[in-house]
Amino acid sequence: MSEITKPTIRVGSRKSQLALIQSKHVLELLTQRYEDKNFHLETMTTIGDEVLDRALSQIGEKSLFTRELEVALEHNKVDLVVHSLKDMPTSLPLGMVIGAILEREDPRDAVIMSPKFFECTLATLPTGSVVGTSSLRRAAQLKRHFPHLVIQGIRGNLNTRLRKLDEEGTYAALILATAGVKRMNWESRISEYLNTDVSMYAIGQGALGIECRQDDMATRQLLAPFSHAETLLCCVAERAFLRTLEGGCSAPVAVESRFLDDVLYLKGGVWSLDGKRSITQSLDVKLTDIDDVPPAQSYTAVVSSHLSNSRLALAEWLGVSLAGKIVALGGGIILDEAKKETEQRNLVAANVRPSK
Ligand code: DPM
């Protein structure tokens, strides 16, 4: 088939370097597999890219990095969009689904030290050293484990943050997701990997999610083979956990999950903003294929034609049940307080007098 007669599939992407690396990676996978189609990249800017002076939790919009791309999907301007799964809300706009979840990279958080402190670890940094992160989840866990450090917000894309670390004297270290750092080819800057005993990771961290229109069966069919079964099941459980807690990014919620010998394991936790109070619990479930389980429309917005409905439903059940367990132990109160405090902080930051 000549290039001209090949049908073209349009792939939407944010313009940040990381987003482009991720989208181009998926575009390459698609191009290799489907020689009878053209894949074309369409780039656009989102609110999350434009508002750089406020913390993510402060902008008060759930789909910061996805909204503009979703509008393009809805209006048929693009056919699929590549996202970091952790930036995808647990429920998507009506008519949108996650058609594939790719194999997860290392999900751990990592430390990037300022060259001035290259011999240090978080534990050995001088008292009062400033560590940059705008993640409430990272901040709460770090405050708990390293009370001698000062956690301070930092915004901007990964390039901006690294420049701030290296060129301004403010920060001794940054905390970033290993996955993003590796994709940017900056792995040599990682001085320390944070295991989950120190920092449990964000829901979906390290995995890529591909969004498409729910009724676009042709695109769904193109995407299905790229899903990684273990990653998908772990992420459905994690997303069901977050959705049940109504966590979003306004409160510290974190997870750890694995899939081994057909057993799906999920650990989850919630923290107060200062990290002093926390509840973590774990649960597992054996996944089995049961014939007559009717299909749901999606499982936390994820669809898969390769996994049985019973497996997907059990993964979702795991997340919901773990959240229930944590709420029963008082986790809901910790989360509600954290959300209120975040709101108050945002009002103060926005210079608005909080209403009683
Ligand atoms: C979300 C959070 C952050 C991003 C909150 C969290 C980090 C914000 C910050 C939901 N999205 O993790 O608790 O550090 O100020 C983001 C990154 C990646 C996807 C960058 C990072 C790359 C890794 C991946 C921003 N979204 O976390 O270092 O694909 O998982």
Side-chain angles (χ1 to χ4, degrees):
M1 223 187 282
S2 84
E3 290 297 314
I4 299 153
T5 54
K6 281 189 195 178
T8 296
I9 312 288
R10 300 149 305 170
V11 178
S13 175
R14 292 171 51 211
K15 283 181 185 163
S16 75
Q17 192 184 349
L18 179 62
L20 286 173
I21 289 171
Q22 295 179 165
S23 301
K24 284 178 182 165
H25 170 65
V26 169
L27 193 123
E28 215 162 277
L29 291 175
L30 288 164
T31 306
Q32 271 170 16
R33 190 176 181 113
Y34 303 111
E35 289 176 351
D36 59 338
K37 293 188 175 58
N38 277 318
F39 294 91
H40 178 76
L41 201 64
E42 307 261 352
T43 61
M44 51 202 93
T45 307
T46 66
I47 320 175
D49 300 310
E50 279 181 346
V51 184
L52 298 177
D53 56 340
R54 283 177 282 163
L56 291 183
S57 51
Q58 222 176 300
I59 307 177
E61 156 90 50
K62 201 161 64 154
S63 32
L64 282 183
F65 292 111
T66 53
R67 163 72 58 228
E68 285 77 0
L69 294 158
E70 271 158 351
V71 170
L73 255 185
E74 204 181 308
H75 293 170
N76 227 320
K77 300 270 193 283
V78 297
D79 303 300
L80 57 101
V81 176
V82 180
H83 304 277
S84 286
L85 185 65
K86 82 162 170 171
D87 294 330
M88 302 187 79
T90 52
S91 55
L92 296 182
L94 200 67
M96 300 300 151
V97 289
I98 299 172
I101 294 181
L102 274 55
E103 183 170 6
R104 189 173 226 169
E105 251 289 357
D106 187 337
R108 289 176 297 173
D109 286 332
V111 181
I112 315 273
M113 276 291 162
S114 147
K116 271 190 289 187
F117 295 105
F118 75 99
E119 283 180 317
C120 289
T121 63
L122 289 183
T124 64
L125 271 176
T127 296
S129 297
V130 175
V131 176
T133 176
S134 300
S135 153
L136 300 175
R137 171 186 65 80
R138 291 176 182 143
Q141 296 187 87
L142 292 178
K143 284 176 190 169
R144 188 178 180 90
H145 284 275
F146 307 104
H148 68 295
L149 301 176
V150 175
I151 312 299
Q152 194 174 305
I154 182 166
R155 283 288 334 267
N157 62 38
L158 292 183
N159 308 67
T160 312
R161 291 183 193 204
L162 197 64
R163 187 176 44 71
K164 285 184 181 169
L165 176 74
D166 289 344
E167 292 173 16
E168 295 173 13
T170 316
Y171 301 98
L174 297 183
I175 313 294
L176 294 172
T178 299
V181 174
K182 277 194 178 171
R183 292 187 195 120
M184 297 284 281
N185 250 323
W186 295 342
E187 208 178 342
S188 61
R189 287 296 307 264
I190 296 179
S191 58
E192 190 178 354
Y193 292 90
L194 299 178
N195 286 326
T196 48
D197 54 338
V198 172
S199 186
M200 284 164 62
Y201 42 84
I203 282 72
Q205 184 160 308
L208 297 182
I210 309 179
E211 186 173 10
C212 65
R213 289 179 293 273
Q214 184 160 23
D215 62 5
D216 182 357
M217 296 316 280
T219 300
R220 280 173 61 168
Q221 216 168 356
L222 289 183
L223 296 180
F226 293 99
S227 267
H228 183 256
E230 286 87 347
T231 302
L232 189 146
L233 291 165
C234 284
C235 290
V236 164
E238 294 174 13
R239 289 169 59 80
F241 175 70
L242 183 66
R243 188 194 60 202
T244 309
L245 291 175
E246 297 172 9
C249 58
S250 62
V253 178
V255 291
E256 173 182 5
S257 65
R258 75 183 85 90
F259 184 66
L260 238 177
D261 297 331
D262 268 352
V263 174
L264 188 59
Y265 165 90
L266 179 65
K267 182 176 176 188
V270 302
W271 286 258
S272 59
L273 292 188
D274 62 9
K276 287 191 176 141
R277 286 173 300 145
S278 87
I279 297 178
T280 57
Q281 288 285 308
S282 60
L283 200 63
D284 58 44
V285 63
K286 178 147 179 103
L287 298 191
T288 49
D289 296 308
I290 304 164
D291 281 342
D292 48 8
V293 175
Q297 271 217 336
S298 78
Y299 303 83
T300 68
V302 179
V303 292
S304 164
S305 53
H306 287 39
L307 286 159
S308 67
N309 298 328
S310 63
R311 276 180 190 252
L312 292 161
L314 284 165
E316 186 163 0
W317 172 89
L318 180 64
V320 173
S321 304
L322 184 65
K325 209 170 155 186
I326 287 179
V327 168
L329 292 167
I333 299 165
I334 293 181
L335 274 186
D336 285 345
E337 280 177 18
K339 282 185 209 167
K340 273 206 199 102
E341 263 179 73
T342 307
E343 256 170 53
Q344 294 287 323
R345 279 189 196 177
N346 294 346
L347 287 172
V348 171
N351 226 341
V352 178
R353 196 186 299 271
S355 58
K356 284 264 165 69

